[in-house]
Amino acid sequence: MCIRDRYQRRVRGLCTLLIDNMSRIGTYNEEGEMVDLYIPRKCHASHQLITAKDHASIQITIADIDADGTYNGDSTTFCIAGLLRNESASDHAINRLCITNGIIRPKTGSKTKKVKEAEKDAALATRQMIAKANIKAKRALTTGRGRGGRGAGRGAGRGRGEGRGRGEGRGRGEGRGRGAARGRGAAPKKE
């Protein structure tokens, strides 16, 4: 028998010893009764111990069902620490745990035809609205109508699109009316 075979036997024996002891959690007396008053739980998502004072922690049991959708008597239990719930990460953690345990299927990311068509229609409607707004803005700029027009449309001083610095504002010949500048001063020169 070579050294390698002896080593593998030792490792196998140690592993079976550890597995047999790990199936029973807690402290037991000679009669086999559990003597621990409290056994801390462990968070399945973050692998942290859940303390006795962690009142935000949850334990959720999900029933296993068969292909017909009826309960078959088995269930899967997950513990989630309060830290994950405070960070609003418990939904994602539960989904990830369910996917890894085969309870739910992962989302493939492909969209259905209806969703794709609805997104195309929404994008087209948005483009049309933007085009209409651009046309209205161009008309307002060329005719002098609208807010903050240039030149003779609203007067040179106080259009909403233009700032109101020193020396600007309402004065003689700088009115707020449509068309030519209305005020006490002279009308603007026509070209």
Side-chain angles (χ1 to χ4, degrees):
M1 191 188 273
C2 70
I3 297 172
R4 186 172 147 197
D5 292 336
R6 273 190 256 156
Y7 177 73
Q8 285 179 350
R9 279 189 184 169
R10 265 192 217 153
V11 170
R12 282 188 202 135
L14 183 64
C15 288
T16 54
L17 179 67
L18 288 175
I19 290 172
D20 290 340
N21 288 338
M22 286 176 58
S23 62
R24 297 174 58 178
I25 298 174
T27 308
Y28 293 87
N29 61 10
E30 292 174 358
E31 290 88 33
E33 298 172 356
M34 184 184 296
V35 293
D36 283 337
L37 297 177
Y38 173 73
I39 299 174
R41 296 176 294 162
K42 195 170 188 180
C43 177
H44 285 86
S46 64
H47 304 293
Q48 295 176 344
L49 282 178
I50 299 174
T51 63
K53 295 293 182 179
D54 188 1
H55 297 294
S57 64
I58 59 167
Q59 180 171 332
I60 185 169
T61 303
I62 300 171
D64 293 335
I65 57 173
D66 58 4
D68 298 331
T70 57
Y71 176 61
N72 62 6
D74 294 333
S75 61
T76 306
T77 304
F78 298 122
C79 297
I80 303 294
L83 176 72
L84 288 176
R85 296 191 67 215
N86 290 337
E87 292 175 354
S88 302
S90 60
D91 285 349
H92 179 68
I94 291 172
N95 284 340
R96 186 173 49 82
L97 289 169
C98 288
I99 288 170
T100 55
N101 288 327
I103 296 172
I104 60 175
R105 285 181 295 216
K107 189 175 180 182
T108 60
S110 61
K111 298 176 183 175
T112 62
K113 283 185 178 180
K114 288 183 181 180
V115 173
K116 288 179 182 178
E117 289 175 6
E119 286 179 352
K120 284 182 182 178
D121 293 342
L124 180 65
T126 305
R127 276 186 257 141
Q128 289 174 348
M129 287 175 35
I130 291 171
K132 287 180 183 178
N134 287 340
I135 291 171
K136 285 183 181 179
K138 285 180 184 176
R139 280 188 198 152
L141 288 175
T142 56
T143 60
R145 294 183 181 183
R147 297 181 178 191
R150 293 190 233 160
R154 291 197 113 178
R158 192 180 167 218
R160 289 190 186 172
E162 299 173 18
R164 203 199 274 187
R166 292 186 181 196
E168 295 180 330
R170 282 195 214 175
R172 294 183 166 239
E174 300 175 359
R176 285 191 66 159
R178 287 191 180 150
R182 294 183 193 147
R184 293 187 204 150
K189 296 178 183 178
K190 293 182 180 179
E191 294 180 17

